[in-house]
Amino acid sequence: MQKFIIVGNWKMNKSFQEAEEFFLDLVDVLENKELDNIEVVVCPPAVYLEMATDLAACNPFSIGAQNCSQFDDGAYTGEISASMLHSMEMDYCIIGHSERRQYFGETDESVNAKLKKLHENSIVPIVCIGETLTQREKGVTKDVIVKQLSGAFQDVDVNDNVVIAYEPIWAIGTGKTATPEQAQEIHALIRKWIAENYNEDVAKKIHILYGGSMKPENIDDLLIQPDIDGGLIGGAALDIAKFSSMIETAVRL
Ligand code: PGA
């Protein structure tokens, strides 16, 4: 079985002091743990990345950014390029999160452009996809997922250098989690799409994470699904006690 990847997505939360305290607690939590079957990743706000990557350099966790620019460099006020992230030794970068699609105009095309920039800079993209409640109720979830995959992966060579996160939008921050069966169904569809568009070997190796109100109470049932390889966790990842309990569950499974 491949490793679980447990990712904390802090979104726009925590002061610098709170962030530092969390990371120091995380160092304690991970100390002396057998982490052979799990990779722990934290994605703090960009202003804390330097502190985070410094700590990660000598500790068993990885760091990801929450977004990057689709452009190389130049006059793009407020943006952060993939090459800047590379120069800070970033391991991962989330792209296409539904909040960025909803509030900041992210599209399948910009996700595709960002994915390519990340690959040029040897950073593993965590590509987020997922349907709205209306789309689920209309019965078009699978079409939406396939369209998002086709858009994001246009002309992209995939091996094990990509992580996909299935995040049904209706489950994000709402406390409503997809049932393990609902999540498994879409994860299996994503893996099948990868097998058909790349090959079986890539499909086997690729990590497909679930996101959307994942928490200590439901992580077991989700992670035991055959096609769920970890989680992209928002709210519950802000609390070190909850985050460490979820890490412990993954270690045990
Ligand atoms: P949530 O967020 O765990 O708070 O639902 C997940 C995400 O948006 O990545």
Side-chain angles (χ1 to χ4, degrees):
M1 202 191 86
Q2 60 180 353
K3 280 187 177 195
F4 287 121
I5 304 182
I6 300 294
V7 186
N9 172 16
W10 286 5
K11 311 189 181 186
M12 197 171 72
N13 288 295
K14 289 193 191 291
S15 67
F16 181 79
Q17 289 73 20
E18 288 165 346
E20 212 170 27
E21 201 178 311
F22 181 100
F23 278 113
L24 295 176
D25 287 344
L26 183 62
V27 169
D28 285 345
V29 164
L30 299 180
E31 206 177 16
N32 304 323
K33 264 214 168 66
E34 279 290 329
L35 298 169
D36 296 344
N37 76 328
I38 172 176
E39 176 166 5
V40 177
V41 184
V42 180
C43 302
V47 281
Y48 308 147
L49 286 173
E50 185 183 352
M51 175 263 286
T53 49
D54 281 353
L55 275 169
C58 44
N59 285 292
F61 56 86
S62 305
I63 300 297
Q66 296 178 13
N67 180 36
C68 73
S69 172
Q70 67 195 90
F71 304 111
D72 280 324
D73 48 35
Y76 300 104
T77 302
E79 289 291 273
I80 298 171
S81 69
S83 62
M84 290 173 188
L85 295 176
H86 174 72
S87 69
M88 294 178 69
E89 296 178 5
M90 205 59 54
D91 305 297
Y92 292 92
C93 180
I94 299 171
I95 52 174
H97 191 282
S98 62
E99 287 149 17
R100 294 217 57 92
R101 292 181 194 253
Q102 185 182 350
Y103 306 127
F104 303 100
E106 191 99 287
T107 60
D108 291 335
E109 291 68 35
S110 62
V111 173
N112 178 245
K114 290 177 182 197
L115 202 167
K116 289 174 180 160
K117 293 293 168 217
L118 289 169
H119 273 178
E120 281 166 23
N121 286 283
S122 312
I123 297 170
V124 177
I126 302 175
V127 183
C128 302
I129 54 176
E131 80 287 2
T132 62
L133 185 58
T134 316
Q135 289 165 334
R136 176 158 283 266
E137 284 172 352
K138 273 195 193 150
V140 295
T141 299
K142 291 184 177 174
D143 302 331
V144 170
I145 296 299
V146 165
K147 184 171 170 290
Q148 289 175 333
L149 287 169
S150 316
F153 290 101
Q154 178 100 43
D155 302 323
V156 172
D157 189 23
V158 175
N159 42 57
D160 55 358
N161 56 356
V162 172
V163 171
I164 297 175
Y166 168 57
E167 300 206 303
I169 296 170
W170 48 272
I172 295 179
T174 58
K176 257 195 218 167
T177 320
T179 63
E181 295 71 29
Q182 281 172 327
Q184 167 56 28
E185 185 187 17
I186 303 304
H187 280 236
L189 168 85
I190 295 168
R191 206 177 295 285
K192 184 163 163 268
W193 187 89
I194 295 287
E196 283 166 5
N197 287 273
Y198 296 93
N199 61 55
E200 287 287 348
D201 192 41
V202 172
K204 231 181 256 164
K205 278 195 296 202
I206 199 163
H207 279 83
I208 308 173
L209 315 184
Y210 169 80
S213 299
M214 197 181 231
K215 46 189 178 243
E217 297 81 8
N218 60 26
I219 190 169
D220 277 69
D221 290 344
L222 288 158
L223 290 189
I224 58 173
Q225 299 302 314
D227 289 301
I228 301 187
D229 308 312
L232 178 55
I233 305 154
L238 291 169
D239 178 311
I240 188 68
K242 291 184 184 167
F243 195 51
S244 60
S245 142
M246 292 186 281
I247 291 169
E248 260 151 36
T249 302
V251 166
R252 179 171 47 75
L253 286 174

